Amino acid sequence: MKAGEKHYKCVNSKTGYAIYYHSLGRELSNEEVKAELEKIRARVAIQNGIYLETLYWEEMKQDAELTQ
C-alpha cells in the first residue's frame, strides 16, 4: 500500500468476498471520496451483474500486516 493514500475494498454482502480494490488520495474531501466510490461501486455492480445494494465499501487499514 502506498503512503498518502486511502485504500478501500468493495465487498459483496451476500458472499462476504472482496471483489474490487481501489485507492484514493488523502487530499480528497469526504464528499469527493463518497462520490468517487459510488461511481466505482455502480461500475463494479454492472460489470459483475450484481445488484448495486449488495455491494459496500470498507476502508483497509494500513496496519493490517500479518504478524507471526
Side-chain angles (χ1 to χ4, degrees):
M1 289 190 228
K2 293 183 181 177
E5 292 185 341
K6 287 187 175 183
H7 306 280
Y8 300 90
K9 61 182 176 180
C10 186
V11 179
N12 181 337
S13 63
K14 288 191 176 187
T15 64
Y17 295 126
I19 61 171
Y20 191 83
Y21 296 90
H22 193 72
S23 297
L24 294 172
R26 290 189 184 274
E27 69 278 355
L28 297 176
S29 70
N30 286 340
E31 293 80 23
E32 291 171 318
V33 168
K34 286 180 184 180
E36 186 67 21
L37 292 178
E38 277 303 305
K39 287 192 291 187
I40 295 167
R41 185 172 75 121
R43 187 180 73 216
V44 170
I46 291 167
Q47 289 174 342
N48 291 281
I50 299 171
Y51 183 60
L52 180 65
E53 298 304 318
T54 62
L55 298 178
Y56 65 93
W57 288 102
E58 284 184 9
E59 184 175 351
M60 298 170 61
K61 301 297 179 190
Q62 298 259 353
D63 61 337
E65 295 179 25
L66 297 176
T67 57
Q68 295 185 350

